């Protein structure tokens, strides 16, 4: 039995028909079966590519990317995924476009989507805005399709919002599945999602929120650790609690990095801004209060500096299970003595896990491609079989 | 008889062989048959795409886009059209390139065209410049092809110049053809192309000029309305007069929005800058007179503000034929109370026509694709037949 | 015997197997056979395209471009080459990405390369940096491929570094091969690579260095001429001397433009900055000494201005072999009375050679495509045969 047959058999056991013609916004909107379908398709697409088989499903079509924040990894991951499937990426650079001139979101969403099959959006800066913006765009293009404006219905991939970062944390999880030898092996493992010190300001909360919202699905013991004042959105904590209860895992909180690390199988030390500060910043931006923003930044940097001991050190790593926890990060990390004087992680820890971290990142293009694949293909198993049968060469060797 | 056969039969009645290997610059350079060929191919391409048949005619090749002004719609329309036919868009961003360093137009035109099949240019800012620039580029790449520098001859699509905006007004017209149930039904209908108030400055004249230059071709009664001082180019008015005479329609002018709207079947209320002011601005830019430009802007805004009553209101709409004229706009519109305090159109009017306006815009990618198709394909009927026969899937479903 | 058979027969006589899965960094890293393989493949690809046969070897895949300096020609040449072979270009714009935020080169190189088959880099600004940077990137992505991070190994094309500009000078040489009727006819011809006056500052040395490092390979008599103080890298002069000795040509230096032009068959008059000044500038940039940089610029412009007589005039051209030397330039040139008051070349000389200069430039996309082809295809002869046999249409006519 070939590896591809195994993927197809796996898919046959899962119920994911609702993903067809649907968006991927938050992992907790999706069923366990749907998440597993994404992992399985991602592995299948990677396997096809490794075997020089092109999984192109589009002969033409656009993948629109709309980044409202700087991005290297996610930008290239989205471009790679689109290209693999046959879509050409077209960036909507709001600086260059007429959006800045007061155009409404509905209008723009339709005007850029006449030949768009997928829209990828990153909008993580302002609390309460990003997710809402994506939901609006999704609704508007659905209307456009219903009204005969758009020949096809573009589906959305959330490339990071204020609440969740599903392409990141799904890639993180697929990495864990590979490292631990199967999704069933995540059960009972302890994960420390901990805050870490950074000399920079205003890092988004979507990664810690995404991690606690997702890893609690698999029966893991998820500990969220941060100094007082660095709370994440309480709605997402509720999601994590509910998930843990359902999956037979646990979700706990602590203000001690040591406690989180003790006996952990997986550690994810990463800086983020306090939720309440991000709320305040959103209001200040809305009011155009530049002085207020600068003042808030100074406050936050000062607040961060009180917690410089929240660093992933060799000593802390020794507290983990046999001292061998999997160290994770969404990259780029603030590495002490490398990218900053003092930051999230000691250089020797980061270096030891560098290869593993790169592999973690390498799943993202395939996760995005799987999300697109599942939203566009009515019968993924049949399509995979057909792709293998045709075995179109990706590149002449 | 299939719908595609009908398109092919229609094309068989038209003489458009001169479009092959030719540019699309101004609609009045083209014969009625040629314009109808564009409409027919646009509909045929849209039909193919709706039926999930890929009309890709290029296996590789570049579509160069050169925008000298901000653009969302036209940029994405051009990108969509190129992608549909198999061309990859490459933007010439003059900021990034060496054009700013004194390179001549001829040299740049050739240097970017080694593998270019199409060049789309938007250059609408300066009176007397845009159209001339495009003609130069066209001539230079023709020379380059003749001299053996370029293996292929890139053809040009005017994506908006100082004189005409052919992709916009051809899309507008195709929308009218669809709304009115056939090109023959345009005859005798009254069109009000009217100026409208905008709180912004320096909007190009290419849309009103394009509209009066095109809709007079079909036997329509075209009325151009604007306050005194907002005259368009007299050369284009001459074109409109000549067209009207030949087509059995009419072209008249008025300084009253009410008069234009009375019994109109179609209204197109839209702001533009006075031609003479744009001429003056072009000179000031040439002289680098920044203070003069700022002063002119203030004058023009003041002049605009004298005509805030030129707004497309519900009351005015009631004057139109049965109160049901088709409201058109190239978008984005200045909507009173939405995108500005007071602008071109009342929000309730705009909202009522929103779906229709989006459909109007949705024709543009197909119009551009049709222009490219006709300039590149020697026997379009044969090629359409072949595309249908092969029925290559655009996207696996 | 078809022309394609001739190319294949030629390739059968050459040993270039080491090019497979390898980078193209400096011409003097490559054997004569390897250089001839590039020329032959470039001609073959051009021939295929002329005959409307698509040489696409990738069904999907990215070509990453990383420009650390403005570029029109090289940017469009790289994009054209990638598109011709089936790769989609994705620019890494360092302004937009997180590189600016202290990310290490290794990390970025891997993060952008998950689906990259080729990386093209231009980094010519700082002496001692560009080539080293490229070697690092090459090593890092090789590691990434070995470590299982990248499914494929991206190869590098040097699109201009501080030492060499191989895509430019290989295109220049292929032009000469065509003008002189064969690579064997380069032998014994005199080439004047001479400095010329420019009113601008800090032009890279990679073109003169590339020219003397490459044309000395073919038995040519290469003369490097410049005013005192405009020395190029001594390491490259050593390469030129060694090459000349091995090829039976010569490499000499002079401080007289007249002497260089006398009886020359080929002249390449072009401005560049003194090597020592560029070294100094690199240090000043490293120190962030803006005042020092401005001062250096003024010094250099003053130094340039002492040599305004170094201009390629009609009079100088008369000194060349029968007054008919081939005039070459990488473009854009500083043309006296056209792009500047006084510059590298008289307008009448430039005009007379315009068509030839454009042809010279037109080889670059094919040279780049050939470099990619040779690094990706294990058996180029077989692949060319297969491409001809399949004769996939590049564009429907």
């Amino acid at each position: 039995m070939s590896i591809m047959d195994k993927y197809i058999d796996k898919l046959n056991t899962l119920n994911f028909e609702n993903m067809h013609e649907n968006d991927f916004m938050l992992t907790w909107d999706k069923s366990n079966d749907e998440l597993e379908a994404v992992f399985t398709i991602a592995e299948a697409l990677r396997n096809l590519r490794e075997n020089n088989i092109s999984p192109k499903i589009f002969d033409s079509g656009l993948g629109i990317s709309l980044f409202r924040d700087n991005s290297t990894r996610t930008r290239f991951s989205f471009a790679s995924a689109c290209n693999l499937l046959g879509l050409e990426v077209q960036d909507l650079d709001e600086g260059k476009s007429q959006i800045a001139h007061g155009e409404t979101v509905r209008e723009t969403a339709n005007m850029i989507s006449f030949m768009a099959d997928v829209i990828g959006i990153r909008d993580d800066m302002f609390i309460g805005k990003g997710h809402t913006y994506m939901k609006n765009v999704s609704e508007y293009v659905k209307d456009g399709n219903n009204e005969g404006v758009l020949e096809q219905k573009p589906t959305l991939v959330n490339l990071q919002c204020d609440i969740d970062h599903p392409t990141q944390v799904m890639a993180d999880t697929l990495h864990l599945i590979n490292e631990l030898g199967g999704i069933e092996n995540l059960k009972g493992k302890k994960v420390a999602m901990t805050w870490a010190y950074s000399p920079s300001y205003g890092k988004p909360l979507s990664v810690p929120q995404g991690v606690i919202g997702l890893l609690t699905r698999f029966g893991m013991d998820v500990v969220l650790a941060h100094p007082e004042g660095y709370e994440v959105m309480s709605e997402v904590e509720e999601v994590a609690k509910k998930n843990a209860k359902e999956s037979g895992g646990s979700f706990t909180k602590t203000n001690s990095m040591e406690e989180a690390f003790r006996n952990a199988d997986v550690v994810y030390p990463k800086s983020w801004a306090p939720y309440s500060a991000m709320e305040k910043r959103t209001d200040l931006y809305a009011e155009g209060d530049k002085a207020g923003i600068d003042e808030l930044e100074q406050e936050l940097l000062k607040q961060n500096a009180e917690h410089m001991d929240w660093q992933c050190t060799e000593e802390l790593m020794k507290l983990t299970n046999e001292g061998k926890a999997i160290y994770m990060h969404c990259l780029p990390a603030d590495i002490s003595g490398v990218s900053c004087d003092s930051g999230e992680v000691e250089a020797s820890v980061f270096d030891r896990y560098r290869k593993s971290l790169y592999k973690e990142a390498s799943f993202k293009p395939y996760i995005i491609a799987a999300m697109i694949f599942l939203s566009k293909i009515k019968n993924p198993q049949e399509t995979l079989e057909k792709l293998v049968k045709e075995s179109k060469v990706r590149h002449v060797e």
Side-chain angles (χ1 to χ4, degrees), chain A residues 296-329:
Chain A
L296 178 65
E297 178 171 348
Q298 290 315 312
E299 269 172 43
L300 288 175
L301 289 176
K302 223 171 107 188
Q303 188 183 351
N304 273 8
E306 287 166 21
H307 307 289
M308 289 181 67
D309 54 324
W310 283 69
Q311 192 191 173
C312 180
T313 58
E314 291 287 6
E315 215 167 332
L316 268 176
M317 287 302 290
K318 281 183 193 146
L319 295 180
T320 68
N321 192 3
E322 298 184 21
K324 291 181 176 167
I326 301 173
Y327 165 81
M328 300 182 85
H329 201 283

Side-chain angles (χ1 to χ4, degrees), chain A residues 226-287:
Chain A
H226 55 74
E228 271 184 61
Y230 286 85
E231 281 69 28
V232 302
M233 289 175 79
S234 58
E235 297 90 322
V236 183
E237 291 192 359
E238 292 309 311
V239 167
K241 278 181 209 163
K242 186 173 155 288
N243 286 347
K245 205 171 169 185
E246 286 175 13
S247 75
S250 63
F251 173 66
T252 52
K253 294 204 294 175
T254 171
N255 293 134
S256 155
M257 202 173 181
E258 285 76 13
E259 193 182 316
F261 266 58
R262 189 156 293 127
N263 286 318
D265 300 285
V266 177
V267 297
Y268 206 134
K270 189 202 167 309
S271 199
W272 66 80
Y275 175 60
S276 56
M278 288 298 94
E279 267 187 318
K280 199 172 160 190
R281 188 175 73 153
T282 302
D283 294 341
L284 292 168
Y285 266 104
E287 292 158 17

Side-chain angles (χ1 to χ4, degrees), chain A residues 32 43 66 75 118 143 172 183 193 212 215 228 244 263-264 308 310 314 318 362:
Chain A
N32 281 6
E43 297 266 30
L66 207 164
R75 184 182 291 276
V118 170
D143 290 349
D172 293 340
I183 196 167
M193 176 73 239
I212 65 168
L215 292 185
E228 271 184 61
N263 286 318
M308 289 181 67
W310 283 69
E314 291 287 6
K318 281 183 193 146
S362 77

Side-chain angles (χ1 to χ4, degrees), chain A residues 152-267:
Chain A
Q152 74 299 323
K153 186 172 79 182
T155 47
L156 260 71
V157 175
N158 172 3
L159 298 174
Q160 188 167 3
C161 72
D162 50 328
I163 302 179
D164 195 4
H165 192 346
T167 64
Q168 177 65 47
V169 295
M170 289 290 285
D172 293 340
T173 305
L174 188 49
H175 177 60
L176 279 185
I177 290 170
N178 275 271
E179 292 289 306
L180 297 173
I183 196 167
E184 62 282 1
N185 295 337
L186 272 61
K187 200 170 179 71
K189 297 289 191 301
K190 179 178 174 182
V191 180
M193 176 73 239
T194 89
W195 191 86
Y197 168 72
S198 164
S200 85
Y201 147 80
K203 299 208 173 190
L205 288 86
S206 53
V207 169
Q209 291 175 170
V211 167
I212 65 168
L214 181 60
L215 292 185
T216 46
R217 302 285 284 272
F218 308 108
M220 302 186 92
D221 296 315
V222 177
V223 182
L224 177 66
H226 55 74
E228 271 184 61
Y230 286 85
E231 281 69 28
V232 302
M233 289 175 79
S234 58
E235 297 90 322
V236 183
E237 291 192 359
E238 292 309 311
V239 167
K241 278 181 209 163
K242 186 173 155 288
N243 286 347
K245 205 171 169 185
E246 286 175 13
S247 75
S250 63
F251 173 66
T252 52
K253 294 204 294 175
T254 171
N255 293 134
S256 155
M257 202 173 181
E258 285 76 13
E259 193 182 316
F261 266 58
R262 189 156 293 127
N263 286 318
D265 300 285
V266 177
V267 297

